[in-house]
Amino acid sequence: MDGVTDTGPAVVFERVNRHFGAYHALRDIDLTVARGEKIVVCGPSGSGKSTLIRCINHLVAPQSGRLAVCGIAARDGRDAVRRIRDRVGMCFQHFNLYPHLSVLDNCTLSPVHTYRVPRAKARATALEYLARVGMEDQAGKYPAQLSGGQQQRAAIARSLCMKPQIMLFDEPTSALDPESVGEVLGVMADLSQAGMTMIVVTHEMGFAREVADRIVFMDAGRIVEIAPPDDFFDNPQHERSRRFLERVAPQRATAQAQERT
Amino acid sequence: MLDLWLNYRGLWLEGLVTTASLTGLAIVFGFFLALPIGVLRAKSTGLGGWLALGYVNVFRGMPLLVQLFLVYYGLGQFNSELRAIGLWWIFRDAWYCGLLALTLNTAAYQAEIIRGSLQTIPASVYETNAALNLTRWTAFRRVLLPIAFAKALPAIGNEFILLLKATSLVAIITVFDLMGQARYIFSETLDLRVYYIAAVHYLLLVLAIEWALRRIERRFAWMA
Ligand SMILES: Nc1ncnc2c1ncn2[C@@H]1O[C@H](COP(=O)(O)OP(=O)(O)OP(=O)(O)O)[C@@H](O)[C@H]1O
Ligand SMILES: [Mg+2]
């Protein structure tokens, strides 16, 4: 919206650290995400995946190191966090739709009240994005009337209504039944086709292999390995990654083990 | 029993209107007074929070009857000062005094209800507000308040019913509400059945409040 930051990397972490009390949740994170790049973050529970992506829109503030999002660091002035959040959409594991608002009102709340978009225009935009996620005929419903997959698609549309340059997803399909998982992953794949910069925490290894440009594997607050999906899945460099893959995709691991023998 | 009602129906209806209007106005004024106090209780750790806590403790810590006496008789002693600042019309009139004391009292209870429901709003809602870049005001007005209100509704409804019955105390400071009229009619007839008639009026008012609450709660069905 201020134009100066539309080139250059989308996200740059340099030696970023974060503690929660005595617990060291992020250790010396270094990561650069290019414009239009799709990153899948994976790793065992508690490894810091959520903390990592929440740093990007400052739901968690990094404590040391440098973190720039679209060229903006949080220290760049009083409204820097606000300007970063203008550019970053986020989808949560539990969708976090506002229960008291219809799908359409969920989508227009921030555009109308934060960005002062005229209501009619905000509605038109919202319906456009709802159509893109296949939810245009559910616009008048309340979240409680929708399935999990529909709620997550509505939440994606709500984020898109803010015209973000980067989309963050924190386990967007973990709370869904198997049928809904497919419909949400489909929407995300479409979004990636359209060129969106995406950073996705997920255990959906099929999606990771299809869509990701790079996989970031985390363990105990550290980035252990960054690799293109084919390398990561077929030839993980680290013992930890290998053990992790055996657990999340045992059939694949055994298949490889058989190939090797 | 019906004759007892019919013979005095003008007084009964006056009493009914007085009770209903005292309750209704105290609820509404009390709610708007409770809103900032409840928000301060939930959010402020500084002076505002302490003042709000002080308010709640004072007005919950005393019997309503004592508050009615303090407002009507206690402040009534300062009549020359109150005249000077142009507030005598409130403290001269038992009905206004009753309304004031009821409002101050219910505000303390409603403030605690509002604080409680604000504090049960999960962190994920605040995160969503932040991620969507909502301004503080929009987040409060459009998200936190409606959710808190829906959560508070059963407790607030309960408070309304308690308040309705508590208004009967204003009869003691000479207001002719339902109870005041009942006492008057009893003094005329010396017939104890007048209190049954008063009781039925209160019961009908409670049923009306419950009916209204159910209608409102239905509009908040999304909360479940
Ligand atoms: N707000 C917080 N306060 C205290 N500790 C926290 C907080 N947020 C995260 N942690 C801790 O930091 C560690 C990393 O948490 P994080 O949520 O980033 O893990 P994760 O990789 O997303 O795990 P999961 O797969 O279970 O979601 C955990 O041990 C967690 O307990
Ligand atoms: Mg997580």
Side-chain angles (χ1 to χ4, degrees):
Chain A
M1 305 201 176
D2 22 54
V4 282
T5 50
D6 294 345
T7 55
V11 182
V12 181
F13 284 87
E14 280 172 14
R15 301 183 61 79
V16 166
N17 283 273
R18 170 75 208 203
H19 297 257
F20 291 111
Y23 187 79
H24 202 165
L26 290 183
R27 296 166 189 261
D28 288 332
I29 298 296
D30 279 303
L31 176 67
T32 300
V33 181
R35 296 271 168 181
E37 197 176 15
K38 289 45 156 151
I39 300 282
V40 164
V41 182
C42 62
S45 180
S47 56
K49 308 179 295 293
S50 295
T51 308
L52 178 84
I53 74 165
R54 285 154 163 272
C55 278
I56 295 172
N57 65 347
H58 284 266
L59 294 185
V60 172
Q63 288 165 325
S64 69
R66 206 179 81 85
L67 169 59
V69 180
C70 299
I72 310 165
R75 301 185 191 113
D76 297 349
R78 218 161 42 84
D79 64 340
V81 169
R82 185 159 283 280
R83 281 163 56 223
I84 289 171
R85 288 177 181 161
D86 284 344
R87 293 164 171 76
V88 182
M90 184 167 213
C91 289
F92 300 87
Q93 182 174 357
H94 297 286
F95 333 128
N96 293 14
L97 291 172
Y98 296 123
H100 61 297
L101 298 178
S102 69
V103 165
L104 188 61
D105 290 341
N106 262 281
C107 291
T108 57
L109 184 69
S110 184
V112 168
H113 290 101
T114 306
Y115 299 100
R116 305 266 161 218
V117 177
R119 195 174 290 271
K121 186 157 176 263
R123 279 170 179 260
T125 310
L127 287 170
E128 223 170 86
Y129 285 116
L130 285 170
R132 252 178 81 178
V133 300
M135 288 286 294
E136 70 276 32
D137 45 351
Q138 317 283 341
K141 288 198 180 163
Y142 285 85
Q145 300 171 302
L146 301 174
S147 75
Q150 290 174 320
Q151 289 189 55
Q152 191 61 289
R153 286 184 285 143
I156 293 171
R158 177 175 70 178
S159 295
L160 293 177
C161 284
M162 311 204 19
K163 311 252 161 90
Q165 302 177 14
I166 302 169
M167 283 287 290
L168 309 176
F169 294 85
D170 193 354
E171 304 201 27
T173 59
S174 303
L176 299 179
D177 57 281
E179 277 151 72
S180 303
V181 169
E183 67 192 39
V184 169
L185 292 180
V187 165
M188 291 168 63
D190 288 348
L191 201 56
S192 99
Q193 287 284 307
M196 177 67 75
T197 309
M198 292 166 58
I199 302 169
V200 184
V201 176
T202 184
H203 299 296
E204 293 295 331
M205 293 303 149
F207 174 84
R209 198 186 264 273
E210 288 287 304
V211 173
D213 297 310
R214 287 187 295 163
I215 309 281
V216 170
F217 175 74
M218 294 186 67
D219 189 32
R222 266 183 233 284
I223 293 181
V224 174
E225 184 163 350
I226 304 181
D230 289 340
D231 295 352
F232 179 75
F233 288 115
D234 300 336
N235 191 16
Q237 294 303 300
H238 290 263
E239 176 56 29
R240 309 221 62 139
S241 329
R242 220 167 290 145
R243 264 190 285 144
F244 174 76
L245 283 172
E246 272 163 30
R247 258 185 297 125
V248 297
Q251 62 294 34
R252 170 169 294 283
T254 40
Q256 276 166 2
Q258 280 161 359
E259 258 169 50
R260 261 185 240 122
T261 52
Chain B
M1 196 112 70
L2 197 60
D3 54 311
L4 208 48
W5 188 83
L6 283 172
N7 290 342
Y8 293 94
R9 62 179 179 281
L11 296 182
W12 284 122
L13 289 177
E14 256 176 57
L16 192 67
V17 169
T18 305
T19 293
S21 59
L22 270 178
T23 309
L25 290 173
I27 285 169
V28 172
F29 293 152
F31 178 75
F32 285 105
L33 181 57
L35 207 52
I37 296 170
V39 172
L40 283 174
R41 284 279 290 123
K43 305 277 174 202
S44 166
T45 50
L47 182 64
W50 284 105
L51 288 176
L53 180 61
Y55 180 94
V56 168
N57 282 342
V58 166
F59 286 95
R60 277 203 316 186
M62 270 190 277
L64 178 57
L65 186 57
V66 173
Q67 289 168 32
L68 284 164
F69 274 41
L70 284 177
V71 171
Y72 187 56
Y73 299 116
L75 294 176
Q77 295 194 320
F78 300 96
N79 74 54
S80 51
E81 291 86 344
L82 288 166
R83 250 185 256 273
I85 55 171
L87 286 178
W88 180 236
W89 59 273
I90 295 180
F91 296 95
R92 191 188 54 197
D93 186 316
W95 188 88
Y96 283 119
C97 285
L99 178 59
L100 179 62
L102 289 167
T103 300
L104 294 175
N105 187 264
T106 188
Y109 287 94
Q110 291 190 46
E112 281 301 278
I113 294 170
I114 291 168
R115 173 189 68 87
S117 58
L118 277 174
Q119 285 179 338
T120 59
I121 292 180
S124 61
V125 173
Y126 291 89
E127 286 172 356
T128 311
N129 294 343
L132 288 176
N133 239 347
L134 297 187
T135 62
R136 281 172 75 106
W137 172 247
T138 305
F140 178 71
R141 168 68 185 78
R142 303 280 163 183
V143 178
L144 302 180
L145 208 53
I147 293 177
F149 184 71
K151 281 175 185 278
L153 210 51
I156 296 231
N158 205 31
E159 167 61 15
F160 290 178
I161 289 169
L162 289 172
L163 182 71
L164 168 73
K165 292 178 296 184
T167 56
S168 59
L169 290 172
V170 298
I172 297 174
I173 58 164
T174 75
V175 177
F176 281 94
D177 69 329
L178 274 173
M179 192 60 191
Q181 301 291 11
R183 294 205 316 170
Y184 173 75
I185 298 166
F186 178 73
S187 72
E188 297 268 293
T189 59
L190 297 179
D191 188 338
L192 277 169
R193 289 179 306 169
V194 296
Y195 293 114
Y196 289 106
I197 297 176
V200 169
H201 282 100
Y202 281 109
L203 189 60
L204 290 176
L205 283 174
V206 169
L207 291 176
I209 293 180
E210 280 178 355
W211 174 82
L213 285 169
R214 263 200 304 278
R215 290 203 53 141
I216 298 172
E217 277 182 24
R218 217 176 303 149
R219 297 191 50 190
F220 288 87
W222 49 263
M223 208 53 232

